[in-house]
Amino acid sequence: MSVHKPSTYSLFSRIFTLQAAFTLSLIMITGFSLTQYACYSVNERQLSGSVLTSTLYSYFLIIGVLLASVSFVFHYLSIRRLLKPIRQLSQATHQFEETRHVGMLPYSTSPDIEHLIQTFDQMSRTIKHSEMTKDLFLRDLSHDLRTPLTTLSGYLEALQHNTISGSSTLYASLGEETQRMIRLLNQLDTLQKTELPVSASSSESFSLQETFEEIFAAYSPSFRTIFKSITIEIEDLLLNHRREDFIQMITNLFQNIVDYNTGTTLLIQGTSMPQGYQLSFTHQGQFIAQHEKELIFEQFYRCDASRSSPSRSGLGLSIVRKILYAQNGTITLNTDGYVHCFSIQFDLTSSTLNKG
């Protein structure tokens, strides 16, 4: 959404200018008409003294009431015209609340009101998109849970009726299905926790490089299988952060790499920058269109079917972004479609990082 710049011709300016111009006009008309009537009363009607004063006073009351009535009607019609888009926008808000549908939005020549209308339009589009992707996600989630549960139920029923006999291979398969559900539920739990405010007292100081190496060791067997070349260049820092959140972020990024990798090289770099510290992960993966560069970080977004799998929840990158957001950090993706560079950056100005 574009940033609204203050306008020199705002709604307040229009109302103030209208009020001032009309008031000045009334004063000038009243003064001019009173002067002309006074001249007429003296020269033509030969009035003077208390009679003249009484006559002018009566005339002033009549002209005052008349102009006040005209002023009231003029102000009422003018303000009503200026506020008409706001009333229409209010009706659109109630309509959206009840039906999640917005009809034709009003147009206003006032920059302030027009900005309000555009902001509402953007908000309604965002809410509708979020609800649509949430519904899609819940549908996929139902499928992802039903598949392993159906498999488990079928095997257990067969074992109960001695249709099949137990074996290490069968038990390993059942264990894998169980782990799929556990991973999915754990990510949902983590996603819910990221919505909660982060307490500064929960942060701790730890070595970024040492913690990173611990996480990498757990993924090393998988990486050694799919990558022929792995380059790691990390500048160590004493990180003041929630260690479990940092582990969750790196784990999710590693899992994303394992799930979608198609190449043979992996480059991981960590460097200090004037604004903070940047950690980047570069590899070749499944195709990501340019318009999906930001969408893949959304909470309920999934890429096309070629990037979907029953074992993938589609929550990993969303969790990473939420954790970073809570620490004033960011995650970005630079890609040509196939070669992807995920970069996470911690903000030094928020005292997130301290050099060790």
Side-chain angles (χ1 to χ4, degrees), residues 2 14 31 42 47 85 90 95 112 140 200 204 224 227 258 280 285 295 303 322 324 349-350 352 356:
S2 61
R14 295 185 67 180
V42 172
L47 299 180
S90 177
Q95 180 185 4
D112 287 342
D140 292 341
E204 58 182 300
R224 299 298 177 188
F227 294 115
V258 170
S280 62
L295 295 176
C303 292
K322 284 184 175 293
L324 284 167
T349 59
S350 62
T352 301

Side-chain angles (χ1 to χ4, degrees), residues 81-110:
R81 180 175 178 274
L82 287 173
L83 297 182
K84 181 179 178 181
I86 295 181
R87 292 196 302 272
Q88 293 175 333
L89 182 60
S90 177
Q91 294 172 357
T93 302
H94 291 302
Q95 180 185 4
F96 180 75
E97 181 181 6
E98 295 175 357
T99 65
R100 284 297 186 265
H101 173 73
V102 178
M104 182 68 69
L105 290 175
Y107 171 78
S108 174
T109 56
S110 168

Side-chain angles (χ1 to χ4, degrees), residues 108-141:
S108 174
T109 56
S110 168
D112 287 342
I113 298 181
E114 183 62 23
H115 173 66
L116 179 62
I117 294 171
Q118 292 176 0
T119 301
F120 172 78
D121 183 49
Q122 180 65 33
M123 180 198 68
S124 63
R125 292 174 185 272
T126 301
I127 292 176
K128 289 174 67 176
H129 174 72
S130 297
E131 291 184 345
M132 181 182 65
T133 51
K134 181 178 180 179
D135 291 341
L136 180 61
F137 167 78
L138 292 176
R139 186 190 68 187
D140 292 341
L141 176 62

Side-chain angles (χ1 to χ4, degrees), residues 145-343:
L145 287 174
R146 187 184 299 112
T147 301
L149 284 173
T150 302
T151 302
L152 288 172
S153 177
Y155 275 123
L156 291 174
E157 185 177 351
L159 287 171
Q160 182 181 7
H161 294 89
N162 296 319
T163 306
I164 60 174
S165 58
S167 65
S168 58
T169 303
L170 173 62
Y171 296 142
S173 176
L174 294 176
E176 182 178 348
E177 296 296 326
T178 304
Q179 288 302 315
R180 279 173 53 190
M181 289 189 293
I182 292 175
R183 284 196 300 270
L184 179 59
L185 293 174
N186 284 341
Q187 286 200 319
L188 286 170
D189 182 59
T190 301
L191 189 63
Q192 186 272 334
K193 288 180 180 178
T194 59
E195 302 288 349
L196 302 176
V198 178
S199 172
S201 60
S202 61
S203 300
E204 58 182 300
S205 296
F206 59 92
S207 168
L208 182 146
Q209 186 174 22
E210 290 179 5
T211 305
F212 181 88
E213 290 174 353
E214 292 176 13
I215 307 169
F216 181 83
Y219 276 85
S220 183
S222 299
F223 284 164
R224 299 298 177 188
T225 301
I226 61 179
F227 294 115
K228 293 181 180 180
S229 173
I230 300 176
T231 303
I232 301 177
E233 302 171 349
I234 292 182
E235 178 182 345
D236 193 18
L237 288 171
L238 188 63
L239 185 60
N240 184 27
H241 199 281
R242 289 181 59 178
R243 189 172 185 271
E244 61 180 278
D245 284 351
F246 179 79
I247 293 174
Q248 183 71 60
M249 284 192 301
I250 304 304
T251 298
N252 286 8
L253 285 167
F254 279 170
Q255 189 62 50
N256 185 75
I257 291 172
V258 170
D259 287 342
Y260 301 115
N261 181 73
T262 59
T264 58
T265 61
L266 173 63
L267 173 62
I268 302 174
Q269 295 175 303
T271 56
S272 294
M273 304 176 64
Q275 319 81 315
Y277 185 89
Q278 179 172 289
L279 194 57
S280 62
F281 306 78
T282 305
H283 75 114
Q284 182 175 321
Q286 295 181 23
F287 180 75
I288 299 178
Q290 290 298 313
H291 72 275
E292 291 183 313
K293 285 173 56 177
E294 292 296 328
L295 295 176
I296 61 173
F297 297 111
E298 291 189 7
Q299 181 170 330
F300 299 111
Y301 186 80
R302 281 191 171 191
C303 292
D304 57 30
S306 65
R307 285 178 58 86
S308 299
S309 166
S311 64
R312 302 166 187 170
S313 68
L315 295 173
L317 294 178
S318 172
I319 291 173
V320 173
R321 186 172 70 168
K322 284 184 175 293
I323 292 175
L324 284 167
Y325 180 79
Q327 298 289 335
N328 294 325
T330 59
I331 179 169
T332 57
L333 168 62
N334 291 319
T335 181
D336 62 1
Y338 293 98
V339 178
H340 315 312
C341 179
F342 290 91
S343 300

